[in-house]
Amino acid sequence: MTLQLDLFGADDAAAPPAGLSLSGRLVEPDEDARLADLIDATGLSPFRFQQWTGKRMTRSFGWHYDFEGGGIAHAEPMPDWLADIRQRTVSAFGDDPAHYEQALLIRYDPGAGIGWHRDRPQFGRVIGLSLGTPATMRLRKRSGAGFERTSFELEPGHAYRLDGPARREWEHSIVPLEQPRWSITFRTLA
Ligand SMILES: O=C(O)CCC(=O)C(=O)O
Ligand SMILES: [Fe+2]
């Protein structure tokens, strides 16, 4: 797995964080659209956190993080098409697909993004597949009074993996887009 350094923004001061890896193309454009349809057909619901309702639409399989209760609980098993895409995506990074027990499907409609966060500590490594419009994932890590920052392109049909410092020390976010984007993220349990 080679890191595609040209995908990193030229203005970013920081080197790519340790623990971030990017795949090559795993999904061709015609299949990209088919996967987006399959995601939509699962019955997505607006992300909710306390009184906030996000603009992004989500559905979890395997395990579900309950933002109200603050823990994880079993969710419906992954359908076959999702287990197939997990096989392809996770094995591209040399990992065992069976270890990635959670899948989160997201559709970002125009105007929807995801704010600065680290994924919940109940989860371990994260592998994400991007579909639809290209986007930029921003990364930041506290450094003195400010932040060290970097970013990379989320190319449709390509995947990223967050482990080590990229997973545990850096926060990530995606700016709202004008065209829809879908993602499938797989997580191990911590
Ligand atoms: O859409 C993505 O690729 C990232 C989603 C994300 O950061 C999350 O669900 O924690
Ligand atoms: Fe995340």
Side-chain angles (χ1 to χ4, degrees), residues 56 58 104 106 108 114-115 117-120 126 128-130 137 154 160 162 172-174 181-185 187:
R56 60 182 193 279
T58 71
L104 175 65
I106 307 181
Y108 298 84
I114 188 164
H117 70 283
R118 269 185 295 268
D119 286 22
R120 310 311 304 182
V126 180
L129 175 68
S130 272
M137 182 167 278
L154 295 162
Y160 59 88
L162 301 177
H172 54 277
S173 67
I174 300 171
R181 173 176 174 267
W182 291 258
S183 69
I184 303 177
T185 45
R187 292 176 184 75

Side-chain angles (χ1 to χ4, degrees), residues 93-137:
F93 293 94
D95 284 358
D96 181 350
H99 291 164
Y100 286 75
E101 294 182 32
Q102 196 233 11
L104 175 65
L105 312 182
I106 307 181
R107 186 179 75 231
Y108 298 84
D109 286 324
I114 188 164
W116 287 112
H117 70 283
R118 269 185 295 268
D119 286 22
R120 310 311 304 182
Q122 287 86 349
F123 296 114
R125 297 186 297 279
V126 180
I127 290 180
L129 175 68
S130 272
L131 303 165
T133 202
T136 301
M137 182 167 278

Side-chain angles (χ1 to χ4, degrees), residues 40-147:
D40 287 347
T42 60
L44 304 171
S45 46
F47 168 82
R48 280 172 174 282
F49 179 52
Q50 295 169 359
Q51 74 272 39
W52 303 105
T53 302
K55 284 189 196 157
R56 60 182 193 279
M57 305 288 286
T58 71
R59 169 99 198 240
S60 298
F61 289 94
W63 291 89
H64 165 77
Y65 182 81
D66 178 3
F67 277 87
E68 313 283 332
I72 59 171
H74 280 290
E76 238 185 88
M78 294 182 204
D80 289 346
W81 69 267
L82 185 54
D84 287 350
I85 200 75
R86 176 181 67 168
Q87 173 71 35
R88 198 190 316 170
T89 307
V90 171
S91 58
F93 293 94
D95 284 358
D96 181 350
H99 291 164
Y100 286 75
E101 294 182 32
Q102 196 233 11
L104 175 65
L105 312 182
I106 307 181
R107 186 179 75 231
Y108 298 84
D109 286 324
I114 188 164
W116 287 112
H117 70 283
R118 269 185 295 268
D119 286 22
R120 310 311 304 182
Q122 287 86 349
F123 296 114
R125 297 186 297 279
V126 180
I127 290 180
L129 175 68
S130 272
L131 303 165
T133 202
T136 301
M137 182 167 278
R138 299 177 303 173
L139 298 165
R140 74 176 188 188
K141 184 175 74 162
R142 198 161 274 291
S143 171
F147 288 100

